């Protein structure tokens, strides 16, 4: 398949061929030259397509002999050298392409590919600075290069500029926190931010940076003082509520704490780590003050786009530690609505149902899960256990025997299968099978 950039190159070449028509005197000679040039170029593209880079280089060099100032040919030559990891010649070819035409992004990209693969980060920096003119998203690459060359000041300055325009990605947020946690940087940055706030008390970003800085060092009292100052100067700032949540909770003011929490959750620019922290603090408060658990339910959907953490599932685990089985089951159900393919959550939920002795629901849910996961041995076990408790021994035996085939290198689970099968067979008066599974259990226990 011909890539889009190649289509652009073909257009460029056709334009070049057109110029040749006007430059030559003999029409017959022109046609011959054009045909040779075009054939050599397409031969180069064909050989590159089947990864015969050496042959592609020979063909493209024939093109360059005819048109030594054609930047597109130099670029193609550089790409083939790069594929052969001949970085010196690749760099030379890409440089010539840039010298001949510095307005084409892919020529600069070729140079960046050379320096990136050779880990020459210093040489990469001016190239990426140029690439940013074509694509502002390349700023992330520039931040990474600054970090790799220990130019943390430049990295932070660029990060602040990026943050003022949009939310930072998780990688960029990590770089920012890493810089802020640096002992060499913390003190001057703190003083710089404090001076900036005095100079311009209506600039929200300086307060935000100082709050994040103090929070990263667990200096919440200082972060709260900054938040109070921010609230005073910019009352509508959502960031003031980061520390105000903790303040309201400490004052046992759940109503205002809830309002502050939802201001934070509603802010798309607020980092997920901060949202999780605020939510967890409010959760601990709500457990002691159950009237506010309704706010926990309202808050959970705000994390639906979080690909790493299923908040409802984690809340379920939290209540499990508190031995609150009702709420544990409730939040596992919520977690499974968000991610209906979370096998771990399913098994934990079934375990909770057993502890609640809701064996009817255990068997029902286990059978439902088996429709989607027919090789998951644990679901057969839970179905069998539930049926045994309900005295439906035939169903139990069928489920357990079907599931045994899927137990692989899990002796504790295999032993539990045999124990449940012994119960089923005994109640079905199937003594031969009971003896078989009893012997298998004894062998396993040895």
């Amino acid at each position: 398949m011909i890539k889009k950039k190649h289509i652009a190159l073909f257009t460029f070449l056709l334009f070049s061929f057109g110029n040749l028509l006007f430059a030559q005197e003999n029409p017959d000679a022109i046609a011959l030259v054009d045909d040779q040039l075009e054939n050599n170029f397409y031969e180069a593209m064909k050989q590159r397509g089947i990864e015969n880079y050496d042959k592609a280089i020979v063909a493209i060099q024939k093109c360059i002999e005819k048109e030594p100032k054609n930047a597109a040919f130099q670029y193609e030559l550089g790409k083939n050298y790069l594929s052969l990891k001949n970085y010196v010649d690749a760099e030379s070819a890409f440089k010539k392409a840039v010298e001949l035409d510095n307005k084409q992004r892919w020529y600069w990209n070729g140079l960046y590919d050379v320096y990136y693969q050779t880990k020459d980060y210093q040489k990469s920096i001016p190239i990426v600075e140029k690439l940013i003119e074509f694509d502002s998203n390349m700023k992330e690459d520039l931040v990474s290069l600054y970090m790799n060359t220990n130019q943390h000041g430049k990295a932070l300055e660029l990060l602040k500029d990026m943050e003022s325009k949009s939310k930072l990605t998780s990688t960029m947020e990590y770089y920012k926190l890493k810089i802020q946690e640096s002992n060499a940087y913390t003190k001057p940055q703190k003083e710089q931010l404090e001076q900036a706030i005095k100079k311009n008390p209506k600039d929200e970003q300086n307060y935000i940076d100082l709050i994040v800085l103090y929070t990263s060092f667990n200096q919440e009292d200082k972060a709260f003082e900054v938040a109070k100052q921010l609230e005073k100067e910019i009352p509508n700032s959502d960031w003031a509520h980061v520390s105000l949540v903790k303040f309201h909770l400490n004052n046992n003011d759940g109503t205002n704490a809830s309002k502050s929490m939802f201001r934070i959750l509603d802010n798309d620019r607020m980092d997920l780590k901060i949202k999780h922290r605020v939510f967890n603090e409010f959760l601990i408060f709500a457990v002691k003050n159950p009237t506010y658990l309704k706010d926990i339910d309202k808050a959970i959907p705000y994390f639906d786009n979080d690909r790493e953490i299923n908040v409802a599932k984690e809340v379920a685990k939290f209540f499990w530690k508190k031995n609150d089985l009702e709420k544990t089951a409730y939040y596992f159900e919520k977690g499974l609505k968000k991610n209906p393919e979370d096998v771990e959550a399913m098994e934990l939920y079934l375990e909770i149902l057993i502890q609640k002795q809701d064996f009817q629901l255990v068997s029902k849910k286990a059978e439902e899960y088996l429709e989607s996961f027919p090789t998951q041995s644990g679901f057969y076990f839970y179905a069998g256990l539930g049926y045994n408790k309900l005295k439906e021994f035939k169903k139990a035996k069928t489920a357990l025997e079907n599931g045994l085939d899927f137990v692989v290198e899990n002796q504790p689970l295999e032993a539990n299968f045999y124990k449940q099968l012994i119960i089923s067979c005994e109640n079905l008066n199937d003594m031969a099978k009971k003896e078989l599974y009893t012997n298998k259990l004894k062998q396993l226990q040895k």
Side-chain angles (χ1 to χ4, degrees):
M1 179 181 285
I2 298 174
K3 296 183 179 178
K4 289 181 181 177
K5 65 170 107 178
H6 291 155
I7 293 172
L9 285 173
F10 297 156
T11 305
F12 182 83
L13 284 169
L14 289 172
F15 178 75
S16 299
F17 298 153
N19 286 341
L20 279 172
L21 287 171
F22 294 103
Q24 300 289 331
E25 294 181 2
N26 187 333
D28 294 331
I30 292 166
L32 179 63
V33 169
D34 286 351
D35 286 346
Q36 287 176 343
L37 188 62
E38 188 171 358
N39 288 341
N40 284 328
F41 178 74
Y42 279 98
E43 177 65 17
M45 299 299 291
K46 183 183 80 173
Q47 294 299 334
R48 175 167 178 77
I50 57 177
E51 299 184 3
N52 285 334
Y53 304 119
D54 288 324
K55 290 183 179 180
I57 287 170
V58 172
I60 204 69
Q61 282 176 333
K62 290 179 182 178
C63 295
I64 292 172
E65 287 174 9
K66 297 292 183 183
E67 285 195 16
K69 292 187 178 181
N70 189 314
F73 293 157
Q74 295 289 349
Y75 171 70
E76 286 298 321
L77 181 64
K79 285 202 303 180
N80 285 292
Y81 278 133
L82 185 61
S83 295
L84 291 171
K85 300 190 185 303
N86 183 342
Y87 298 117
V88 174
D89 287 336
E91 179 186 14
S92 176
F94 288 134
K95 276 186 173 180
K96 285 178 184 175
V98 168
E99 288 169 5
L100 291 166
D101 185 357
N102 64 5
K103 294 181 180 179
Q104 302 299 336
R105 173 185 174 175
W106 50 80
Y107 301 166
W108 292 98
N109 252 121
L111 268 178
Y112 182 34
D113 288 340
V114 172
Y115 298 144
Y116 186 83
Q117 289 186 30
T118 56
K119 292 184 168 50
D120 194 336
Y121 301 128
Q122 288 290 0
K123 282 187 177 180
S124 296
I125 289 173
I127 305 302
V128 174
E129 287 173 341
K130 181 66 180 179
L131 284 168
I132 288 171
E133 296 177 14
F134 299 101
D135 182 4
S136 62
N137 290 324
M138 293 298 294
K139 287 180 181 180
E140 290 205 3
D141 286 57
L142 187 54
V143 170
S144 298
L145 290 169
Y146 283 147
M147 294 298 291
N148 279 313
T149 53
N150 291 316
Q151 299 183 63
H152 292 171
K154 288 184 177 180
L156 188 64
E157 186 178 343
L158 183 54
L159 284 165
K160 283 185 176 182
D161 175 67
M162 292 163 64
E163 193 172 33
S164 68
K165 296 177 175 65
S166 64
K167 182 182 176 183
L168 296 178
T169 63
S170 57
T171 302
M172 295 299 104
E173 188 68 39
Y174 168 76
Y175 281 146
K176 182 182 174 185
L177 290 174
K178 188 174 180 181
I179 295 168
Q180 290 172 334
E181 289 171 1
S182 167
N183 290 331
Y185 186 78
T186 301
K187 186 176 179 182
Q189 188 208 13
K190 180 178 77 69
E191 293 172 352
Q192 183 182 1
L193 288 170
E194 288 171 344
Q195 288 300 318
I197 289 169
K198 287 180 181 178
K199 186 176 179 181
N200 187 358
K202 300 299 181 183
D203 187 342
E204 182 188 38
Q205 190 60 50
N206 291 320
Y207 294 99
I208 294 170
D209 289 342
L210 195 52
I211 289 169
V212 172
L213 180 65
Y214 281 133
T215 304
S216 68
F217 284 97
N218 296 317
Q219 294 178 318
E220 293 181 352
D221 290 341
K222 291 184 178 180
F224 172 64
E225 290 301 320
V226 178
K228 282 199 297 185
Q229 188 179 352
L230 172 56
E231 185 187 28
K232 180 181 177 182
E233 296 292 345
I234 312 175
N236 293 325
S237 170
D238 290 340
W239 280 86
H241 292 270
V242 172
S243 289
L244 288 176
V245 168
K246 191 70 176 283
F247 173 74
H248 293 315
L249 292 176
N250 288 341
N251 286 337
N252 208 34
D253 184 353
T255 301
N256 281 317
S258 175
K259 290 178 182 177
S260 291
M261 176 178 71
F262 284 108
R263 285 282 294 271
I264 293 163
L265 295 179
D266 274 322
N267 189 322
D268 290 336
R269 288 189 60 203
M270 202 80 71
D271 189 86
L272 263 177
K273 292 192 292 294
I274 293 174
K275 292 184 179 183
H276 277 297
R277 180 172 179 169
V278 168
F279 175 83
N280 290 339
E281 289 173 349
F282 192 86
L283 173 62
I284 293 168
F285 171 81
V287 171
K288 298 175 183 175
N289 301 272
T291 55
Y292 292 100
L293 285 173
K294 64 182 185 299
D295 293 314
I296 293 296
D297 285 357
K298 282 174 59 181
I300 287 175
Y302 282 90
F303 298 95
D304 280 350
N305 292 328
D306 189 342
R307 295 180 181 179
E308 295 181 9
I309 300 174
N310 185 332
V311 171
K313 177 182 171 182
E314 296 306 313
V315 172
K317 290 179 180 178
F318 176 84
F319 279 110
W320 198 350
K321 289 178 182 177
K322 299 285 183 184
N323 203 31
D324 189 332
L325 300 182
E326 290 296 331
K327 288 190 177 63
T328 302
Y330 172 76
Y331 285 108
F332 270 132
E333 288 167 4
K334 276 185 168 293
L336 284 167
K337 284 180 182 177
K338 180 194 172 185
N339 185 0
E341 296 187 353
D342 187 338
V343 172
E344 182 197 33
M346 292 175 189
E347 291 189 334
L348 292 174
Y349 177 50
L350 290 171
E351 193 63 42
I352 290 300
L353 293 178
I354 288 170
Q355 290 185 28
K356 289 180 64 184
Q357 298 189 6
D358 190 346
F359 301 115
Q360 190 75 44
L361 193 54
V362 169
S363 297
K364 179 184 174 183
K365 287 294 181 182
E367 293 283 11
E368 285 179 9
Y369 299 154
L370 281 170
E371 291 178 9
S372 300
F373 301 94
T375 63
Q376 196 67 31
S377 56
F379 296 152
Y380 289 97
F381 169 74
Y382 285 114
L385 185 151
Y387 285 133
N388 269 342
K389 293 291 186 180
L390 295 169
K391 302 189 185 305
E392 297 183 46
F393 302 113
K394 188 174 181 180
K395 286 184 178 180
K397 181 171 177 287
T398 300
L400 292 162
E401 287 183 330
N402 287 341
L404 262 180
D405 293 336
F406 302 107
V407 180
V408 180
E409 296 182 359
N410 189 337
Q411 290 189 354
L413 179 59
E414 188 178 354
N416 285 333
F417 263 86
Y418 294 141
K419 290 174 184 176
Q420 292 300 316
L421 276 164
I422 290 167
I423 295 170
S424 302
C425 293
E426 183 175 6
N427 283 278
L428 290 170
N429 203 29
D430 188 345
M431 295 308 164
K433 282 286 185 74
K434 177 187 175 184
E435 184 178 356
L436 171 67
Y437 294 127
T438 301
N439 289 334
K440 285 182 176 290
L441 180 60
K442 288 178 181 177
Q443 289 174 6
L444 198 63
Q445 290 173 336
K446 288 179 181 179

